PDB file of all heavy atoms in Angstrom:
ATOM      1  N   ARG A1518      81.161  86.288  80.990  1.00  0.00           N
ATOM      2  CA  ARG A1518      80.875  87.725  81.160  1.00  0.00           C
ATOM      3  C   ARG A1518      80.374  87.943  82.606  1.00  0.00           C
ATOM      4  O   ARG A1518      79.312  87.410  82.982  1.00  0.00           O
ATOM      5  CB  ARG A1518      79.764  88.080  80.172  1.00  0.00           C
ATOM      6  CG  ARG A1518      79.368  89.564  80.211  1.00  0.00           C
ATOM      7  CD  ARG A1518      80.307  90.402  79.485  1.00  0.00           C
ATOM      8  NE  ARG A1518      79.752  91.741  79.243  1.00  0.00           N
ATOM      9  CZ  ARG A1518      80.226  92.865  79.822  1.00  0.00           C
ATOM     10  NH1 ARG A1518      81.161  92.742  80.706  1.00  0.00           N
ATOM     11  NH2 ARG A1518      79.698  94.024  79.536  1.00  0.00           N
ATOM     12  N   GLU A1526      88.664  95.280  98.058  1.00  0.00           N
ATOM     13  CA  GLU A1526      88.519  95.903  99.361  1.00  0.00           C
ATOM     14  C   GLU A1526      89.919  95.968 100.016  1.00  0.00           C
ATOM     15  O   GLU A1526      90.569  94.932 100.163  1.00  0.00           O
ATOM     16  CB  GLU A1526      87.559  95.136 100.261  1.00  0.00           C
ATOM     17  CG  GLU A1526      87.527  95.673 101.674  1.00  0.00           C
ATOM     18  CD  GLU A1526      86.360  95.166 102.488  1.00  0.00           C
ATOM     19  OE1 GLU A1526      85.727  94.191 102.008  1.00  0.00           O
ATOM     20  OE2 GLU A1526      86.105  95.727 103.534  1.00  0.00           O
ATOM     21  N   VAL A1532      98.218  92.574 112.922  1.00  0.00           N
ATOM     22  CA  VAL A1532      99.382  92.570 113.778  1.00  0.00           C
ATOM     23  C   VAL A1532      98.941  91.903 115.055  1.00  0.00           C
ATOM     24  O   VAL A1532      98.088  92.366 115.747  1.00  0.00           O
ATOM     25  CB  VAL A1532      99.862  94.033 114.091  1.00  0.00           C
ATOM     26  CG1 VAL A1532     101.216  93.952 114.785  1.00  0.00           C
ATOM     27  CG2 VAL A1532      99.865  94.886 112.862  1.00  0.00           C
ATOM     28  N   ARG A1565     106.479  87.226 142.811  1.00  0.00           N
ATOM     29  CA  ARG A1565     105.213  86.704 143.186  1.00  0.00           C
ATOM     30  C   ARG A1565     105.227  86.182 144.577  1.00  0.00           C
ATOM     31  O   ARG A1565     104.251  86.372 145.388  1.00  0.00           O
ATOM     32  CB  ARG A1565     104.800  85.600 142.189  1.00  0.00           C
ATOM     33  CG  ARG A1565     104.230  86.199 140.884  1.00  0.00           C
ATOM     34  CD  ARG A1565     103.585  85.112 140.039  1.00  0.00           C
ATOM     35  NE  ARG A1565     104.569  84.221 139.453  1.00  0.00           N
ATOM     36  CZ  ARG A1565     105.127  84.385 138.267  1.00  0.00           C
ATOM     37  NH1 ARG A1565     104.724  85.448 137.535  1.00  0.00           N
ATOM     38  NH2 ARG A1565     105.987  83.572 137.785  1.00  0.00           N
TER      39      ARG A1565
ATOM     40  N   MET B 613      77.269  94.083  76.180  1.00  0.00           N
ATOM     41  CA  MET B 613      76.984  92.816  75.464  1.00  0.00           C
ATOM     42  C   MET B 613      77.131  91.639  76.437  1.00  0.00           C
ATOM     43  O   MET B 613      78.117  91.514  77.115  1.00  0.00           O
ATOM     44  CB  MET B 613      78.026  92.715  74.337  1.00  0.00           C
ATOM     45  CG  MET B 613      78.074  91.288  73.699  1.00  0.00           C
ATOM     46  SD  MET B 613      76.674  90.999  72.643  1.00  0.00           S
ATOM     47  CE  MET B 613      76.649  89.233  72.607  1.00  0.00           C
ATOM     48  N   SER B 704      83.017  93.232 102.773  1.00  0.00           N
ATOM     49  CA  SER B 704      82.800  93.328 104.259  1.00  0.00           C
ATOM     50  C   SER B 704      81.427  93.971 104.564  1.00  0.00           C
ATOM     51  O   SER B 704      81.064  94.021 105.753  1.00  0.00           O
ATOM     52  CB  SER B 704      83.932  94.144 104.870  1.00  0.00           C
ATOM     53  OG  SER B 704      83.925  95.418 104.332  1.00  0.00           O
ATOM     54  N   ARG B 853      96.551  92.889 117.613  1.00  0.00           N
ATOM     55  CA  ARG B 853      95.347  92.084 117.860  1.00  0.00           C
ATOM     56  C   ARG B 853      95.486  91.253 119.111  1.00  0.00           C
ATOM     57  O   ARG B 853      96.508  90.548 119.268  1.00  0.00           O
ATOM     58  CB  ARG B 853      95.072  91.196 116.666  1.00  0.00           C
ATOM     59  CG  ARG B 853      94.446  91.971 115.580  1.00  0.00           C
ATOM     60  CD  ARG B 853      94.228  91.138 114.322  1.00  0.00           C
ATOM     61  NE  ARG B 853      93.721  92.018 113.301  1.00  0.00           N
ATOM     62  CZ  ARG B 853      92.513  91.937 112.761  1.00  0.00           C
ATOM     63  NH1 ARG B 853      91.706  90.965 113.085  1.00  0.00           N
ATOM     64  NH2 ARG B 853      92.136  92.809 111.867  1.00  0.00           N
ATOM     65  N   GLU B 997     107.668  86.618 131.004  1.00  0.00           N
ATOM     66  CA  GLU B 997     107.885  87.176 132.305  1.00  0.00           C
ATOM     67  C   GLU B 997     108.598  88.491 132.228  1.00  0.00           C
ATOM     68  O   GLU B 997     108.334  89.407 132.992  1.00  0.00           O
ATOM     69  CB  GLU B 997     108.730  86.141 133.144  1.00  0.00           C
ATOM     70  CG  GLU B 997     108.063  84.863 133.431  1.00  0.00           C
ATOM     71  CD  GLU B 997     107.098  84.916 134.575  1.00  0.00           C
ATOM     72  OE1 GLU B 997     106.596  86.040 134.895  1.00  0.00           O
ATOM     73  OE2 GLU B 997     106.755  83.888 135.165  1.00  0.00           O
TER      74      GLU B 997
END
Side-chain angles (χ1 to χ4, degrees):
Chain A
R1518 181 80 165 109
E1526 174 166 14
V1532 191
R1565 281 191 287 267
Chain B
M613 167 75 201
S704 61
R853 283 178 185 244
E997 295 280 21

